[in-house]
Amino acid sequence: MAISFTDLHTEAGLKSLDEFLSGKTYISGDQITKDDIRVYAAVTGKPGAGFPNAGRWYETVSSALSARFPGEAAGVKIGSQAAPPAPSDVSATEPKKEAPAAAAAVEDDDDDLDLFGDETEDEKKAAADREASKASTKKKESGKSSVLLDVKPWDDETDMVNLEKAVRSVQMEGLLWGASKLVPVGYGIKKLQIMLTIVDDLVSVDSLIEEHLTVEPCNEFIQSCDIVAFNKI
């Protein structure tokens, strides 16, 4: 279905574009397309602060074009032309003849101006490296969980400051300790409640408790640990 905009040289037109781009990065899909180039050419300049979504989109497209065409421009002036009369919808896929020259050029002959043509070998290699890096990261961090842990001391004489130090001394890849507090249990005894975030593929909470927190040297202060809450992030 064609996306339509009107009067992009006016505040009303920019408002319509700004509302359309709310929550979006590009006109169509999740990457820049020729739809973005057509609309970009129809906008006379960067939208002002009153149109934050359109302004952010304009900067994104400008950056993409600058990266693709890094040469220093000498500057080109286009002769003035009368603003188009109150038109019907300007289609992003079929712009009117009155649209600015750059938009008409893109529409009339896309093959003459291929902004995103064939990649060079270096670009292909860089893209492949990026994809490999992303795949490795996703495999390594397939999911995370937030855990609330109860850590109980031996008795009311246990030094709770040292107990917490012992807990936080356990460090491993995929484990991040968070906020903590002391909670009264009874008879002057307090337990430590502590939050932690784990990468599921790298850290097992059961192993953390059995192989680290309840063995030497931590068991000098820690009697036992219980999982109070376990939530996927």
Side-chain angles (χ1 to χ4, degrees), residues 4-231:
S4 299
F5 301 105
T6 61
D7 300 334
L8 291 177
H9 62 286
T10 68
E11 287 195 6
L14 289 177
K15 181 179 180 182
S16 174
L17 177 62
D18 189 74
E19 291 174 351
F20 175 82
L21 287 168
S22 178
K24 297 182 178 69
T25 302
Y26 301 107
I27 298 294
S28 306
D30 58 358
Q31 58 184 345
I32 193 168
T33 67
K34 290 178 180 177
D35 287 345
D36 293 279
I37 306 305
R38 294 185 181 107
V39 178
Y40 178 87
V43 178
T44 56
K46 179 181 177 181
F51 310 101
N53 300 317
R56 170 181 46 75
W57 165 83
Y58 191 92
E59 286 290 347
T60 300
V61 177
S62 294
S63 297
L65 293 176
S66 296
R68 191 66 180 175
F69 302 101
E72 182 177 353
V76 175
K77 292 184 178 180
I78 305 297
S80 61
Q81 64 182 72
S88 57
D89 285 354
V90 178
S91 171
T93 56
E94 297 181 1
K96 294 185 66 179
K97 293 181 180 178
E98 293 86 349
V106 172
E107 177 61 23
D108 291 341
D109 194 356
D110 288 335
D111 293 335
D112 289 344
L113 181 61
D114 190 356
L115 299 179
F116 305 98
D118 294 338
E119 294 179 314
T120 65
E121 288 302 318
D122 289 342
E123 289 173 333
K124 290 179 180 179
K125 184 177 184 302
D129 290 343
R130 286 195 299 272
E131 290 302 320
S133 177
K134 289 179 182 178
S136 176
T137 300
K138 288 180 180 178
K139 183 177 180 181
K140 186 176 181 181
E141 298 190 7
S142 59
K144 292 183 179 181
S145 298
S146 175
V147 183
L148 179 61
L149 204 63
D150 267 358
V151 184
K152 300 174 183 176
W154 287 102
D155 52 38
D156 61 340
E157 295 183 357
T158 300
D159 188 327
M160 298 303 292
V161 173
N162 285 333
L163 180 145
E164 182 171 353
K165 288 181 179 179
V167 171
R168 293 184 183 274
S169 70
V170 178
Q171 299 291 324
M172 63 180 68
E173 186 178 7
L175 169 64
L176 178 65
W177 296 106
S180 65
K181 65 179 180 179
L182 296 178
V183 179
V185 176
Y187 303 101
I189 300 176
K190 295 181 179 180
K191 64 182 178 181
L192 175 72
Q193 271 195 350
I194 187 166
M195 293 291 302
L196 57 144
T197 301
I198 61 169
V199 176
D200 296 333
D201 286 350
L202 300 179
V203 179
S204 162
V205 180
D206 290 335
S207 297
L208 174 66
I209 293 172
E210 295 171 5
E211 299 176 11
H212 297 277
L213 295 176
T214 55
V215 297
E216 292 183 351
C218 293
N219 65 355
E220 178 182 352
F221 306 101
I222 301 172
Q223 180 196 57
S224 62
C225 298
D226 294 315
I227 299 172
V228 179
F230 192 108
N231 299 299

